[in-house]
Amino acid sequence: MKKLLIAVNLLFILLAYPFFSAEWGGAFVNNTEVSSTDFSSFPIVNAETLNLWVNKEISGDDNWYFSSQISYTNKINIPTFTPSDITFSNIIDLDLFKFSGNFDLAKSTVSLDIGRFAVKDNSSIIFDQLCDGALLRLSAPVITCSLYVGYTGLLNSQNLTMLAPKRDDSGAVVYYEKQSAIYSLSHSFLPLIATFDFPAIKGTQSLSLQFQGYFDLQTVEGIEKSDRYYGLVELRGPFGGLVYYDLLSAFGIDMSKTFTNYSKILISIYSKSIFSCNFGAEYASGKHGPFSRFTGVTSKLAYHALSNPEYGGLLLPLVDFTLSGDKLYLDIICKAVIGLPETSFVFSGVDGQVALYFDIFSDLQLGFNLAAFMDMTSGFAGPETNYTANVNLKYLF
């Protein structure tokens, strides 16, 4: 363990060598999670993560900036208290390595980000993860245009799950699986995302159009490549001074010519104090009508007990209450999970989550997260029922 920590620090020093005059820091995070389905057993997962970062201004006029972060995680999985069942894993990752810059034109600004950084589409459902690539953005008074081009084949699959066909050790086709190596390369996609934002089409109302293509660059024998294309439209703005709405719909098509849809409506109410409320619904198409089951590119679980990686075949009414103060953050979310098979609606259960974060000091944060999915397909506590409790402590230095 000591040798591994020394190696991590040496690697970070090599990356940061030209930037010793830069801003730097780190964080230590301890995260412990306990889960159960029927309270007869309590599997435990404990993860300790060390983050180190360096930020540096490259030009004197602040137009160019460099930022980086590296992390090391030691994870212990305790499914039972039998010593032979306990497993250990180590994960090292480059979480951020980005050069950012901008320059002004006549009445607009051009900005450029190059390297590894977080990327997500407007829905946050289709693609939401780290990626290596470049983002070019043009900001003008009536429109903002951006183009992102990336590559996923150098990412660590230990820290993300991409929905792409592959074969496991037995030769069976699977769409996602975790690797055991400290750094294992992810499936290779080339994401291409073009976004057009109109910030004031009518008063304070805004419109966004987004076109996405994900090109599968990795050949798997006997499996068709999983290229996917999406078109997304989003309309948002205020009803009044404190009420806002967000309407979004994304349509997808893949190489099999299957047609899918993800849509959401969200109403947000903000008070002049620390309280806010969101309510609305999400829809992800299943195999019904003209649609097939909705599938993104990165894995998003619609609710905690969902065994399939796709965020599809569901209708999710939701309500979300938030309290946010100087030292305290509280978020309560509740969703009704309604399945959408081919013939009728099925009430699957209720998904809830309570998150509480408290800043003990400026550099020390304590967090609690309680989550539960109550499967009601076969009584109050069906086979998919799951409860999870999470405690995390973050120390900044």
Side-chain angles (χ1 to χ4, degrees):
M1 181 62 67
K2 292 182 179 179
K3 291 182 179 180
L4 183 58
L5 288 175
I6 292 172
V8 170
N9 282 285
L10 287 175
L11 176 60
F12 186 76
I13 290 172
L14 289 175
L15 292 174
Y17 179 76
F19 307 101
F20 278 124
S21 62
E23 172 191 356
W24 67 276
F28 176 78
V29 182
N30 180 274
N31 187 84
T32 302
E33 180 178 289
V34 180
S35 61
S36 182
T37 57
D38 56 5
F39 299 105
S40 62
S41 63
F42 298 89
I44 300 173
V45 177
N46 182 78
E48 295 181 343
T49 301
L50 176 65
N51 296 306
L52 299 171
W53 64 79
V54 169
N55 300 323
K56 170 68 175 177
E57 294 178 4
I58 299 177
S59 61
D61 53 5
D62 296 340
N63 281 355
W64 287 94
Y65 197 80
F66 169 79
S67 52
S68 64
Q69 177 175 305
I70 192 170
S71 66
Y72 163 72
T73 300
N74 174 252
K75 184 180 292 186
I76 305 174
N77 186 12
I78 311 174
T80 68
F81 287 98
T82 303
S84 60
D85 293 336
I86 299 175
T87 59
F88 299 85
S89 60
N90 298 287
I91 303 170
I92 188 170
D93 209 349
L94 183 62
D95 305 312
L96 179 65
F97 195 87
K98 181 176 71 170
F99 294 89
S100 303
N102 64 82
F103 54 91
D104 296 328
L105 299 178
K107 292 185 178 181
S108 59
T109 301
V110 176
S111 61
L112 178 65
D113 294 331
I114 301 176
R116 175 173 295 186
F117 50 92
V119 179
K120 66 179 179 179
D121 74 299
N122 284 6
S123 73
S124 300
I125 297 297
I126 299 170
F127 190 85
D128 183 3
Q129 65 175 50
L130 291 177
C131 196
D132 299 318
L135 174 65
L136 179 65
R137 180 184 291 109
L138 171 66
S139 300
V142 296
I143 187 174
T144 297
C145 306
S146 65
L147 177 65
Y148 178 80
V149 181
Y151 177 69
T152 67
L154 298 178
L155 302 173
N156 190 351
S157 64
Q158 290 277 33
N159 284 331
L160 55 91
T161 299
M162 302 192 65
L163 301 181
K166 61 184 70 176
R167 295 191 184 275
D168 61 13
D169 295 337
S170 66
V173 177
V174 295
Y175 279 83
Y176 71 112
E177 62 177 350
K178 290 297 183 183
Q179 305 293 328
S180 58
I182 190 171
Y183 198 109
S184 58
L185 297 180
S186 175
H187 192 92
S188 300
F189 277 98
L190 191 154
L192 182 64
I193 305 174
T195 307
F196 302 90
D197 291 321
F198 302 89
I201 58 171
K202 185 178 180 181
T204 55
Q205 313 304 306
S206 62
L207 173 68
S208 293
L209 303 175
Q210 194 169 69
F211 304 94
Q212 308 171 44
Y214 301 91
F215 303 94
D216 191 351
L217 304 180
Q218 193 165 327
T219 302
V220 180
E221 185 178 355
I223 301 177
E224 185 177 9
K225 288 188 176 182
S226 54
D227 294 350
R228 298 164 205 172
Y229 311 93
Y230 301 88
L232 183 150
V233 58
E234 183 178 19
L235 185 65
R236 59 191 181 277
F239 280 132
L242 302 175
V243 181
Y244 294 79
Y245 73 92
D246 188 351
L247 299 174
L248 181 147
S249 190
F251 295 90
I253 187 171
D254 60 19
M255 296 299 290
S256 301
K257 302 297 185 291
T258 57
F259 190 54
T260 64
N261 177 255
Y262 167 82
S263 298
K264 77 170 182 180
I265 176 172
L266 189 66
I267 306 297
S268 302
I269 303 173
Y270 298 93
S271 69
K272 295 182 180 180
S273 61
I274 62 175
F275 172 78
S276 64
C277 175
N278 303 297
F279 60 92
E282 296 175 89
Y283 162 79
S285 64
K287 297 180 180 179
H288 56 277
F291 299 116
S292 298
R293 186 178 179 87
F294 178 82
T295 304
V297 180
T298 52
S299 176
K300 287 287 184 178
L301 301 185
Y303 59 97
H304 302 292
L306 189 66
S307 58
N308 292 326
E310 299 95 342
Y311 199 106
L314 293 168
L315 180 65
L316 300 169
L318 65 95
V319 60
D320 180 6
F321 300 98
T322 302
L323 292 174
S324 181
D326 292 336
K327 294 182 176 296
L328 181 69
Y329 175 83
L330 174 65
D331 188 27
I332 303 174
I333 304 175
C334 185
K335 297 181 181 181
V337 182
I338 302 173
L340 299 175
E342 297 183 35
T343 56
S344 61
F345 292 84
V346 175
F347 179 61
S348 300
V350 177
D351 185 30
Q353 180 172 319
V354 178
L356 175 64
Y357 294 91
F358 177 68
D359 292 332
I360 302 174
F361 303 108
S362 60
D363 54 1
L364 185 64
Q365 183 186 77
L366 179 64
F368 300 92
N369 192 305
L370 301 175
F373 172 70
M374 290 177 284
D375 181 5
M376 297 183 179
T377 55
S378 56
F380 183 75
E384 297 293 328
T385 295
N386 188 50
Y387 305 93
T388 303
N390 182 287
V391 179
N392 61 80
L393 185 68
K394 179 187 290 186
Y395 172 68
L396 303 175
F397 58 86

